[in-house]
Amino acid sequence: GGRPSAVQAVLLAASTALTALVYSLYRQRARVARGLEGARRVRLDGDLRAVLLEAPGRCVPYAVIKGVVQSVKETLSSQFVENCKGVVQRLTLQEHKMVWNRTTHLWNDYEKVIHQRTNTTPFELVPQEQGASITVRVLKPLEASELSLETVYEKFHPSVQSFTDAIGHYLSGERPKGIQETEQMLRVGTALTGVGELVLDNSTIKLQPPKQGLPYYLSTADFQSLLQRQEANVRFWKILTILLGFSSCTILFFLLRKQYRQHCHRRHLRQMQEEFQQAQQCLLSEVNTQGRDTLKNSCVICLSNPKSCVFLECGHVCSCTECHQALPEPKTCPICRQSISRVVPLYNS
């Protein structure tokens, strides 16, 4: 039929919905990249306070600033590494095990975080040059979409299993491998690039998450690396959107082509039907005008041979010899249904 099947309709709807979703993600990434590209670059020096005093509301909505991490009060000490001080500490316990996949009949690696704790202490950014008195207080670092933490300690503790435990784990479909213990820190003295809202609050300069919904960055990478990474992400989502849009257009074109071909087929059938009706009307008119006498003298059974038999005793002249011989026994007149006793040939002169 001309209408799309249920599978085709579902395929078109799913492709269109997926294209719309990917396009939405592409627009979001493009908005982030444009916001990052338009962020104001400020230097962490003595002129920063004057720049904020001249800004509307003593605020730069989206600014890029670079400095060195320095603790405001106490520092956090590493639990495993001596003389390792930081301002953000994250301790993670991660379970590693093998899980049996009933579909592929293979053992797959599985990782799960069973415990994680993050400790923070107030910190600020100071200029890389020694002796400068300007500082920027960093607020809510855990809300940053990219918080660069250095892994200072990592150790894997393999699980010890008895033979009975191994059999039980094999039967249950889960084989523990061990526990991985990790410690990550944002160390004092790390060069950090901050992207967010820069505010002058009384005498304190603060870097905090922006209010326009743009991402908050605290990264050890420089600003150009951040921007290039975002632009590459935008290009990826753009290409994916184009490919999905092309597939949706291909499916739509296929369905429209199918509809058009079905429409042409129905139109061709209508034309053939009209031509047949016209030919039938012409044939009937010719029969009515030219062949009326011929039909009048034709056999009432075959309508092709002339009448050549007189049925007695009824006297009807209505059949040819071939049709009379083909009548079933007992033979009866096809007009009045009386029995035929004898047949007299009819000769037209």
Side-chain angles (χ1 to χ4, degrees):
R3 294 184 179 181
S5 64
V7 175
Q8 293 171 343
V10 170
L11 184 62
L12 178 60
S15 177
T16 304
L18 187 60
T19 303
L21 177 61
V22 173
Y23 177 69
S24 175
L25 294 174
Y26 159 69
R27 290 191 60 183
Q28 183 180 357
R29 300 298 191 279
R31 176 176 172 270
V32 170
R34 287 195 302 269
L36 191 61
E37 187 177 6
R40 183 175 178 180
R41 286 79 160 173
V42 295
R43 292 179 58 85
L44 186 54
D45 53 18
D47 298 332
L48 180 58
R49 193 179 302 272
V51 171
L52 292 174
L53 286 172
E54 295 176 357
R58 297 184 178 184
C59 170
V60 177
Y62 208 45
V64 180
I65 192 167
K66 188 172 183 178
V68 177
V69 174
Q70 175 180 285
S71 177
V72 175
K73 297 179 182 179
E74 299 178 351
T75 57
L76 302 174
S77 300
S78 171
Q79 294 186 3
F80 305 98
V81 182
E82 294 183 0
N83 300 324
C84 182
K85 305 291 184 180
V87 293
V88 179
Q89 180 188 44
R90 180 171 293 165
L91 301 170
T92 305
L93 291 178
Q94 192 174 36
E95 179 186 14
H96 293 258
K97 59 184 178 180
M98 302 288 289
V99 178
W100 177 255
N101 192 319
R102 300 181 185 276
T103 303
T104 60
H105 299 284
L106 296 173
W107 289 94
N108 299 326
D109 290 325
Y110 177 77
E111 300 175 359
K112 179 183 178 181
V113 176
I114 57 178
H115 178 72
Q116 188 175 77
R117 187 181 74 224
T118 304
N119 303 319
T120 62
T121 187
F123 69 97
E124 56 192 11
L125 298 179
V126 298
Q128 295 180 347
E129 298 82 7
Q130 299 293 332
S133 59
I134 190 77
T135 61
V136 175
R137 178 72 64 85
V138 178
L139 304 180
K140 303 179 180 179
L142 298 183
E143 294 185 10
S145 59
E146 182 175 333
L147 178 61
S148 298
L149 299 178
E150 178 186 355
T151 301
V152 297
Y153 176 81
E154 187 174 16
K155 186 175 182 180
F156 183 76
H157 303 276
S159 61
V160 180
Q161 304 178 37
S162 64
F163 179 74
T164 306
D165 294 336
I167 294 177
H169 293 149
Y170 181 81
L171 294 176
S172 64
E174 293 186 0
R175 294 189 300 179
K177 298 172 63 177
I179 303 296
Q180 184 173 355
E181 190 176 12
T182 307
E183 182 183 23
Q184 296 174 301
M185 296 191 72
L186 179 58
R187 303 177 65 172
V188 174
T190 302
L192 202 66
T193 300
V195 183
E197 186 180 59
L198 205 59
V199 182
L200 178 61
D201 186 6
N202 296 328
S203 60
T204 305
I205 302 176
K206 300 178 180 179
L207 180 67
Q208 59 189 14
K211 296 183 177 62
Q212 295 85 359
L214 294 172
Y216 183 35
Y217 294 100
L218 294 172
S219 174
T220 54
D222 57 4
F223 175 71
Q224 289 299 327
S225 298
L226 281 175
L227 184 58
Q228 291 174 2
R229 195 154 59 233
Q230 288 297 327
E231 290 176 346
N233 196 8
V234 170
R235 285 194 296 270
F236 168 77
W237 287 103
K238 183 178 181 180
I239 293 173
L240 188 58
T241 302
I242 292 174
L243 292 177
L244 289 175
F246 178 76
S247 64
S248 299
C249 292
T250 302
I251 296 172
L252 182 61
F253 173 76
F254 172 76
L255 295 179
L256 291 177
R257 180 172 174 267
K258 183 178 179 182
Q259 289 277 351
Y260 175 74
R261 294 182 65 179
Q262 186 67 19
H263 171 72
C264 293
H265 180 65
R266 287 196 298 264
R267 186 175 60 182
H268 180 64
L269 289 179
R270 285 197 301 268
Q271 291 178 353
M272 291 178 62
Q273 187 176 8
E274 292 175 356
E275 292 176 357
F276 176 76
Q277 290 176 353
Q278 292 177 0
Q280 190 176 26
Q281 291 176 359
C282 292
L283 179 60
L284 290 175
S285 62
E286 290 179 1
V287 169
N288 290 332
T289 56
Q290 300 178 4
R292 185 175 300 169
D293 296 336
T294 304
L295 289 176
K296 187 176 180 179
N297 296 322
S298 298
C299 173
V300 297
I301 298 176
C302 65
L303 299 177
S304 58
N305 297 327
K307 299 173 183 178
S308 59
C309 296
V310 180
F311 294 153
L312 299 177
E313 299 294 334
C314 64
H316 284 125
V317 181
C318 58
S319 173
C320 63
T321 304
E322 290 80 0
C323 291
H324 163 257
Q325 293 175 355
L327 287 175
E329 297 291 341
K331 299 182 183 297
T332 58
C333 176
I335 302 299
C336 64
R337 301 303 178 187
Q338 291 187 20
S339 296
I340 301 175
S341 60
R342 60 195 181 95
V343 178
V344 178
L346 178 66
Y347 299 99
N348 292 323
S349 57

